[in-house]
Every structure is written in structure tokens, then in C-alpha cells.
Short mmCIF file of all heavy atoms in Angstrom, two decimals:
data_model
loop_
_atom_site.label_atom_id
_atom_site.label_comp_id
_atom_site.label_asym_id
_atom_site.label_seq_id
_atom_site.Cartn_x
_atom_site.Cartn_y
_atom_site.Cartn_z
N GLU A 224 -26.78 183.19 259.29
CA GLU A 224 -28.25 183.35 259.34
C GLU A 224 -28.69 183.86 260.71
O GLU A 224 -29.52 184.77 260.82
CB GLU A 224 -28.91 182.01 259.01
CG GLU A 224 -30.43 182.08 259.00
CD GLU A 224 -31.06 180.76 258.60
OE1 GLU A 224 -30.84 180.33 257.43
OE2 GLU A 224 -31.77 180.14 259.44
N GLU A 225 -28.14 183.27 261.76
CA GLU A 225 -28.52 183.67 263.12
C GLU A 225 -28.08 185.11 263.39
O GLU A 225 -28.83 185.90 264.00
CB GLU A 225 -27.87 182.72 264.13
CG GLU A 225 -28.35 182.91 265.56
CD GLU A 225 -29.84 182.67 265.71
OE1 GLU A 225 -30.39 181.81 264.98
OE2 GLU A 225 -30.46 183.35 266.55
N LYS A 226 -26.88 185.47 262.92
CA LYS A 226 -26.37 186.81 263.14
C LYS A 226 -27.23 187.85 262.42
O LYS A 226 -27.55 188.92 262.98
CB LYS A 226 -24.92 186.90 262.64
CG LYS A 226 -24.26 188.25 262.88
CD LYS A 226 -22.81 188.24 262.42
CE LYS A 226 -22.73 188.29 260.91
NZ LYS A 226 -21.32 188.48 260.44
N GLU A 227 -27.63 187.55 261.17
CA GLU A 227 -28.44 188.49 260.39
C GLU A 227 -29.86 188.62 260.93
O GLU A 227 -30.47 189.70 260.85
CB GLU A 227 -28.47 188.07 258.92
CG GLU A 227 -27.13 188.24 258.19
CD GLU A 227 -26.65 189.67 258.21
OE1 GLU A 227 -27.41 190.59 257.82
OE2 GLU A 227 -25.51 189.91 258.66
N LYS A 228 -30.38 187.54 261.49
CA LYS A 228 -31.72 187.63 262.12
C LYS A 228 -31.69 188.62 263.29
O LYS A 228 -32.60 189.43 263.46
CB LYS A 228 -32.15 186.24 262.63
CG LYS A 228 -32.65 185.30 261.55
CD LYS A 228 -33.05 183.97 262.16
CE LYS A 228 -33.57 183.01 261.08
NZ LYS A 228 -33.93 181.68 261.65
N GLN A 229 -30.62 188.50 264.09
CA GLN A 229 -30.51 189.41 265.25
C GLN A 229 -30.25 190.84 264.80
O GLN A 229 -30.77 191.79 265.38
CB GLN A 229 -29.39 188.91 266.16
CG GLN A 229 -29.68 187.57 266.82
CD GLN A 229 -28.53 187.07 267.69
OE1 GLN A 229 -27.55 187.80 267.92
NE2 GLN A 229 -28.65 185.85 268.20
N ARG A 230 -29.44 191.02 263.77
CA ARG A 230 -29.09 192.36 263.31
C ARG A 230 -30.26 193.08 262.68
O ARG A 230 -30.46 194.28 262.88
CB ARG A 230 -27.92 192.29 262.32
CG ARG A 230 -27.37 193.66 261.91
CD ARG A 230 -26.06 193.48 261.18
NE ARG A 230 -26.23 193.05 259.81
CZ ARG A 230 -26.32 193.87 258.77
NH1 ARG A 230 -26.28 195.18 258.95
NH2 ARG A 230 -26.44 193.39 257.55
N THR A 231 -31.06 192.32 261.87
CA THR A 231 -32.18 192.94 261.14
C THR A 231 -33.49 192.86 261.90
O THR A 231 -34.43 193.62 261.60
CB THR A 231 -32.36 192.26 259.78
OG1 THR A 231 -32.69 190.87 259.99
CG2 THR A 231 -31.09 192.36 258.95
N GLY A 232 -33.59 191.95 262.85
CA GLY A 232 -34.84 191.76 263.56
C GLY A 232 -35.87 191.00 262.74
O GLY A 232 -37.06 190.97 263.10
N ILE A 233 -35.46 190.39 261.62
CA ILE A 233 -36.39 189.65 260.75
C ILE A 233 -36.27 188.16 261.10
O ILE A 233 -35.29 187.50 260.74
CB ILE A 233 -36.05 189.88 259.26
CG1 ILE A 233 -36.08 191.37 258.92
CG2 ILE A 233 -37.01 189.10 258.37
CD1 ILE A 233 -35.62 191.70 257.52
N ALA A 234 -37.27 187.63 261.80
CA ALA A 234 -37.21 186.23 262.27
C ALA A 234 -37.28 185.23 261.13
O ALA A 234 -36.73 184.12 261.22
CB ALA A 234 -38.34 185.97 263.27
N GLY A 235 -37.96 185.59 260.03
CA GLY A 235 -38.12 184.66 258.92
C GLY A 235 -36.97 184.67 257.92
O GLY A 235 -37.06 184.01 256.87
N LEU A 236 -35.90 185.37 258.19
CA LEU A 236 -34.74 185.45 257.27
C LEU A 236 -34.07 184.08 257.12
O LEU A 236 -33.89 183.35 258.10
CB LEU A 236 -33.75 186.48 257.82
CG LEU A 236 -32.46 186.74 257.04
CD1 LEU A 236 -32.02 188.20 257.22
CD2 LEU A 236 -31.34 185.81 257.48
N LYS A 237 -33.75 183.75 255.89
CA LYS A 237 -33.11 182.46 255.62
C LYS A 237 -31.88 182.66 254.72
O LYS A 237 -31.89 183.50 253.81
CB LYS A 237 -34.08 181.50 254.90
CG LYS A 237 -35.29 181.10 255.72
CD LYS A 237 -36.20 180.17 254.91
CE LYS A 237 -37.43 179.79 255.71
NZ LYS A 237 -38.36 178.93 254.92
N VAL A 238 -30.84 181.86 254.97
CA VAL A 238 -29.67 181.83 254.10
C VAL A 238 -29.70 180.51 253.34
O VAL A 238 -29.85 179.43 253.93
CB VAL A 238 -28.36 181.95 254.90
CG1 VAL A 238 -27.15 181.81 253.98
CG2 VAL A 238 -28.31 183.27 255.65
N GLY A 239 -29.59 180.57 251.99
CA GLY A 239 -29.69 179.36 251.18
C GLY A 239 -28.74 179.38 249.99
O GLY A 239 -27.92 180.30 249.84
N TYR A 240 -28.91 178.37 249.12
CA TYR A 240 -28.02 178.23 247.95
C TYR A 240 -28.76 177.50 246.85
O TYR A 240 -29.54 176.57 247.11
CB TYR A 240 -26.77 177.44 248.34
CG TYR A 240 -25.92 177.01 247.16
CD1 TYR A 240 -25.03 177.89 246.56
CD2 TYR A 240 -26.03 175.73 246.61
CE1 TYR A 240 -24.25 177.51 245.48
CE2 TYR A 240 -25.27 175.33 245.52
CZ TYR A 240 -24.38 176.22 244.96
OH TYR A 240 -23.63 175.84 243.88
N ASN A 241 -28.59 177.94 245.62
CA ASN A 241 -28.99 177.12 244.47
C ASN A 241 -27.92 177.24 243.40
O ASN A 241 -27.10 178.17 243.41
CB ASN A 241 -30.38 177.47 243.94
CG ASN A 241 -30.46 178.84 243.30
OD1 ASN A 241 -29.51 179.32 242.68
ND2 ASN A 241 -31.61 179.49 243.45
N ARG A 242 -27.92 176.28 242.47
CA ARG A 242 -26.83 176.19 241.50
C ARG A 242 -26.82 177.35 240.51
O ARG A 242 -25.77 177.71 239.97
CB ARG A 242 -26.93 174.87 240.73
CG ARG A 242 -26.63 173.65 241.58
CD ARG A 242 -26.58 172.41 240.72
NE ARG A 242 -26.21 171.23 241.51
CZ ARG A 242 -26.05 170.01 240.99
NH1 ARG A 242 -26.23 169.81 239.70
NH2 ARG A 242 -25.71 169.01 241.78
N VAL A 243 -27.99 177.94 240.28
CA VAL A 243 -28.08 179.01 239.28
C VAL A 243 -27.59 180.33 239.84
O VAL A 243 -26.76 181.02 239.24
CB VAL A 243 -29.53 179.14 238.76
CG1 VAL A 243 -29.62 180.31 237.78
CG2 VAL A 243 -29.98 177.85 238.12
N HIS A 244 -28.11 180.72 241.02
CA HIS A 244 -27.82 182.05 241.56
C HIS A 244 -26.80 182.02 242.69
O HIS A 244 -26.40 183.08 243.18
CB HIS A 244 -29.12 182.70 242.04
CG HIS A 244 -30.09 182.98 240.95
ND1 HIS A 244 -31.11 182.11 240.61
CD2 HIS A 244 -30.19 184.03 240.07
CE1 HIS A 244 -31.80 182.60 239.60
NE2 HIS A 244 -31.26 183.77 239.24
N GLY A 245 -26.40 180.85 243.13
CA GLY A 245 -25.40 180.77 244.20
C GLY A 245 -26.02 180.98 245.57
O GLY A 245 -27.18 180.66 245.81
N TYR A 246 -25.24 181.58 246.50
CA TYR A 246 -25.70 181.79 247.88
C TYR A 246 -26.52 183.07 247.96
O TYR A 246 -26.28 184.05 247.22
CB TYR A 246 -24.49 181.88 248.82
CG TYR A 246 -23.78 180.56 248.99
CD1 TYR A 246 -22.71 180.22 248.17
CD2 TYR A 246 -24.21 179.65 249.95
CE1 TYR A 246 -22.07 178.99 248.32
CE2 TYR A 246 -23.59 178.42 250.09
CZ TYR A 246 -22.51 178.10 249.28
OH TYR A 246 -21.90 176.89 249.41
N TYR A 247 -27.51 183.08 248.89
CA TYR A 247 -28.41 184.24 248.98
C TYR A 247 -29.00 184.31 250.39
O TYR A 247 -28.96 183.36 251.17
CB TYR A 247 -29.55 184.11 247.97
CG TYR A 247 -30.35 182.83 248.11
CD1 TYR A 247 -31.37 182.73 249.07
CD2 TYR A 247 -30.07 181.73 247.32
CE1 TYR A 247 -32.10 181.56 249.21
CE2 TYR A 247 -30.78 180.56 247.45
CZ TYR A 247 -31.81 180.47 248.41
OH TYR A 247 -32.50 179.31 248.56
N ILE A 248 -29.51 185.50 250.70
CA ILE A 248 -30.30 185.72 251.91
C ILE A 248 -31.73 186.00 251.45
O ILE A 248 -31.97 186.94 250.69
CB ILE A 248 -29.77 186.90 252.74
CG1 ILE A 248 -28.33 186.60 253.22
CG2 ILE A 248 -30.68 187.20 253.92
CD1 ILE A 248 -27.67 187.78 253.91
N GLU A 249 -32.68 185.21 251.92
CA GLU A 249 -34.08 185.34 251.46
C GLU A 249 -34.92 185.99 252.55
O GLU A 249 -34.90 185.57 253.72
CB GLU A 249 -34.64 183.96 251.11
CG GLU A 249 -36.06 184.02 250.54
CD GLU A 249 -36.55 182.66 250.08
OE1 GLU A 249 -35.98 182.15 249.10
OE2 GLU A 249 -37.50 182.13 250.71
N ILE A 250 -35.70 187.02 252.13
CA ILE A 250 -36.57 187.76 253.04
C ILE A 250 -37.94 187.88 252.38
O ILE A 250 -38.04 188.21 251.19
CB ILE A 250 -35.99 189.15 253.36
CG1 ILE A 250 -34.64 189.01 254.06
CG2 ILE A 250 -36.96 189.97 254.21
CD1 ILE A 250 -33.95 190.33 254.32
N SER A 251 -38.99 187.62 253.14
CA SER A 251 -40.34 187.73 252.58
C SER A 251 -40.65 189.20 252.27
O SER A 251 -40.06 190.12 252.85
CB SER A 251 -41.38 187.18 253.57
OG SER A 251 -41.40 187.97 254.75
N ARG A 252 -41.60 189.41 251.35
CA ARG A 252 -41.89 190.77 250.87
C ARG A 252 -42.46 191.68 251.97
O ARG A 252 -42.28 192.90 251.91
CB ARG A 252 -42.87 190.71 249.71
CG ARG A 252 -42.22 190.21 248.43
CD ARG A 252 -43.10 190.46 247.23
NE ARG A 252 -42.37 190.17 246.01
CZ ARG A 252 -42.29 191.00 244.99
NH1 ARG A 252 -42.85 192.18 245.06
NH2 ARG A 252 -41.64 190.66 243.90
N ILE A 253 -43.09 191.09 252.94
CA ILE A 253 -43.69 191.92 253.99
C ILE A 253 -42.62 192.62 254.83
O ILE A 253 -42.89 193.59 255.53
CB ILE A 253 -44.62 191.09 254.89
CG1 ILE A 253 -43.83 189.96 255.56
CG2 ILE A 253 -45.79 190.53 254.10
CD1 ILE A 253 -44.68 189.18 256.58
N HIS A 254 -41.36 192.10 254.74
CA HIS A 254 -40.26 192.73 255.49
C HIS A 254 -39.31 193.50 254.57
O HIS A 254 -38.19 193.83 254.96
CB HIS A 254 -39.46 191.66 256.24
CG HIS A 254 -40.22 190.98 257.33
ND1 HIS A 254 -40.57 191.61 258.51
CD2 HIS A 254 -40.72 189.71 257.42
CE1 HIS A 254 -41.24 190.76 259.28
NE2 HIS A 254 -41.35 189.59 258.64
N SER A 255 -39.75 193.77 253.32
CA SER A 255 -38.86 194.40 252.34
C SER A 255 -38.41 195.79 252.79
O SER A 255 -37.33 196.26 252.41
CB SER A 255 -39.56 194.50 250.98
OG SER A 255 -40.77 195.24 251.11
N THR A 256 -39.22 196.48 253.62
CA THR A 256 -38.82 197.81 254.08
C THR A 256 -37.77 197.75 255.17
O THR A 256 -37.16 198.77 255.51
CB THR A 256 -40.06 198.55 254.61
OG1 THR A 256 -40.67 197.78 255.65
CG2 THR A 256 -41.07 198.81 253.50
N ASP A 257 -37.55 196.56 255.74
CA ASP A 257 -36.58 196.41 256.83
C ASP A 257 -35.21 195.95 256.36
O ASP A 257 -34.33 195.69 257.18
CB ASP A 257 -37.11 195.39 257.86
CG ASP A 257 -38.45 195.81 258.45
OD1 ASP A 257 -38.64 197.02 258.64
OD2 ASP A 257 -39.27 194.91 258.70
N VAL A 258 -35.02 195.85 255.01
CA VAL A 258 -33.76 195.34 254.46
C VAL A 258 -32.64 196.36 254.69
O VAL A 258 -32.81 197.54 254.37
CB VAL A 258 -33.91 195.05 252.95
CG1 VAL A 258 -32.55 194.70 252.34
CG2 VAL A 258 -34.90 193.93 252.73
N PRO A 259 -31.49 195.94 255.25
CA PRO A 259 -30.37 196.87 255.48
C PRO A 259 -29.80 197.40 254.16
O PRO A 259 -29.98 196.81 253.10
CB PRO A 259 -29.33 196.00 256.21
CG PRO A 259 -30.12 194.87 256.80
CD PRO A 259 -31.24 194.61 255.84
N ASP A 260 -29.05 198.49 254.26
CA ASP A 260 -28.50 199.14 253.07
C ASP A 260 -27.44 198.29 252.36
O ASP A 260 -27.24 198.44 251.14
CB ASP A 260 -27.88 200.49 253.45
CG ASP A 260 -28.94 201.49 253.91
OD1 ASP A 260 -30.11 201.29 253.55
OD2 ASP A 260 -28.58 202.42 254.65
N ASN A 261 -26.74 197.43 253.11
CA ASN A 261 -25.66 196.65 252.47
C ASN A 261 -26.17 195.38 251.80
O ASN A 261 -25.38 194.55 251.35
CB ASN A 261 -24.58 196.30 253.49
CG ASN A 261 -25.06 195.31 254.56
OD1 ASN A 261 -26.24 195.30 254.89
ND2 ASN A 261 -24.13 194.51 255.06
N TYR A 262 -27.50 195.18 251.74
CA TYR A 262 -28.09 194.05 251.04
C TYR A 262 -28.29 194.42 249.57
O TYR A 262 -28.96 195.41 249.27
CB TYR A 262 -29.45 193.68 251.65
CG TYR A 262 -29.36 192.76 252.87
CD1 TYR A 262 -28.36 192.92 253.82
CD2 TYR A 262 -30.31 191.76 253.06
CE1 TYR A 262 -28.29 192.10 254.93
CE2 TYR A 262 -30.25 190.93 254.18
CZ TYR A 262 -29.25 191.11 255.11
OH TYR A 262 -29.18 190.30 256.21
N ASN A 263 -27.70 193.66 248.67
CA ASN A 263 -27.88 193.88 247.23
C ASN A 263 -28.81 192.82 246.66
O ASN A 263 -28.62 191.61 246.89
CB ASN A 263 -26.52 193.80 246.51
CG ASN A 263 -25.57 194.88 246.99
OD1 ASN A 263 -25.94 196.04 247.06
ND2 ASN A 263 -24.34 194.48 247.36
N ARG A 264 -29.85 193.28 245.93
CA ARG A 264 -30.86 192.36 245.41
C ARG A 264 -30.23 191.40 244.39
O ARG A 264 -29.53 191.81 243.48
CB ARG A 264 -32.01 193.14 244.78
CG ARG A 264 -33.16 192.23 244.31
CD ARG A 264 -34.34 193.04 243.81
NE ARG A 264 -35.13 193.59 244.92
CZ ARG A 264 -35.06 194.85 245.33
NH1 ARG A 264 -34.24 195.69 244.72
NH2 ARG A 264 -35.79 195.28 246.34
#
């Protein structure tokens, strides 16, 4: 999480987990244009 915040410059980036979808990186919609190319929705 800390590494991805520094790489993307998105301070609100979070890494989490739930039983249905597994592990994920969550980014608010206002930063959707800043998502790197290697991020798969």
C-alpha cells in the first residue's frame, strides 16, 4: 500500500480483502484518471 501510494501519488489508495472478491487496491473515483496501466479493474 505504501509503495503504491508513492508510485501513483494517490494518498487515499487502500489495499484490502474480502471473501468474495479476494485482495484488491481501492481508489476513489476522483482519482480514476490517475490509475496506472497495470491496474486491472
Side-chain angles (χ1 to χ4, degrees):
E224 182 176 296
E225 189 61 33
K226 183 177 74 172
E227 291 301 307
K228 282 180 180 178
Q229 293 178 8
R230 186 168 78 92
T231 62
I233 303 174
L236 180 148
K237 296 179 181 178
V238 176
Y240 169 81
N241 68 34
R242 291 187 177 182
V243 177
H244 295 95
Y246 290 93
Y247 57 82
I248 297 173
E249 184 175 293
I250 298 176
S251 64
R252 286 193 171 231
I253 60 174
H254 294 289
S255 58
T256 57
D257 301 324
V258 173
D260 293 338
N261 68 330
Y262 275 39
N263 298 311
R264 184 174 282 102

